[in-house]
Amino acid sequence: MSDTDEQQPETQSDDGIPQTLVGISFADIFRAQEFLSAATGLAAKGRLKLKDAVLVVKDADGKTHVKETVDPELGRTAMSGALWASLFGLVLGGPVGWAAGLAVGAGAGAVTAKVVDLGISDEWVGWFRQAVQPDTATVALLIEDLDRNALVEEAARFTGAELVYANLDDDTLDRIKTALEGQATESERPGFDV
């Protein structure tokens, strides 16, 4: 894990559901994107619930670029806003009110998607910007309902990566670090049943 003098922000869920924040750094963006795809695959299999994912790329000069990958979708939020506002406009102003409500609602929904960040907080994104090393690409995942064994197994496929941060128990942290170092135990190595 990276040593920084900066205080780490808190990780909390507004609805009381325990959330896990994991940040893993890679030597290149292609491995980082592959890990992000693997995490998405684990989510599709029900092994975790992916609330948000952020890719932090820091170049050799220390300049960072951030890409949020899971956020409220503009199209879906705009469509929802447009639907509700147009129905309200139809009731109040007839066909003209419906058209005006449609336009206003779509705009309000799109703005809401941009302003409301339901995932990794800006404080955490800032922390990762400072903590990661130059010439790396770091994937930060905000997760619920995590199958810890599945995460350790997936980490074993990405030897050479570095665990930057995770709010997990010490045993799981050690297992992830060991897996990333390519030193998985016999029971953690994929095998074939004979």
Side-chain angles (χ1 to χ4, degrees):
M1 299 223 295
S2 182
D3 295 323
T4 63
D5 296 332
E6 247 181 86
Q7 181 83 356
Q8 296 172 352
E10 293 292 317
T11 53
Q12 297 178 13
S13 169
D14 291 337
D15 54 9
I17 297 173
Q19 293 183 320
T20 302
L21 181 62
V22 176
I24 299 180
S25 194
F26 300 86
D28 64 71
I29 194 166
F30 302 110
R31 289 293 279 172
Q33 289 173 332
E34 185 181 346
F35 178 75
L36 184 54
S37 293
T40 304
L42 288 176
K45 294 176 186 171
R47 308 292 294 273
L48 57 86
K49 185 175 182 182
L50 187 59
K51 298 298 288 181
D52 197 7
V54 174
L55 182 62
V56 180
V57 179
K58 188 178 272 192
D59 65 21
D61 298 327
K63 185 176 179 182
T64 57
H65 307 276
V66 176
K67 170 138 176 64
E68 294 196 42
T69 59
V70 179
D71 237 351
E73 294 179 19
L74 280 176
R76 187 173 7 175
T77 309
M79 181 60 107
S80 174
L83 175 67
W84 287 108
S86 66
L87 289 175
F88 186 69
L90 181 62
V91 169
L92 291 180
V96 173
W98 174 78
L102 186 66
V104 169
V111 168
T112 300
K114 280 304 213 183
V115 172
V116 177
D117 186 1
L118 301 174
I120 299 173
S121 70
D122 291 339
E123 291 84 16
W124 269 111
V125 173
W127 185 88
F128 279 108
R129 280 177 170 248
Q130 295 297 317
V132 299
Q133 299 299 310
D135 272 339
T136 62
T138 302
V139 176
L141 304 173
L142 185 62
I143 304 167
E144 291 178 357
D145 301 328
L146 172 65
D147 177 342
R148 288 169 165 72
N149 292 329
L151 182 60
V152 171
E153 290 169 11
E154 208 54 51
R157 294 183 340 122
F158 295 91
T159 57
E162 178 189 359
L163 182 64
V164 177
Y165 176 85
N167 60 341
L168 292 164
D169 59 277
D170 290 339
D171 179 55
T172 304
L173 288 173
D174 290 340
R175 291 174 58 214
I176 291 172
K177 288 178 191 175
T178 300
L180 291 173
E181 292 169 359
Q183 303 171 0
T185 63
E186 266 319 299
S187 64
E188 294 171 333
R189 289 193 183 118
F192 298 99
D193 294 330
V194 181

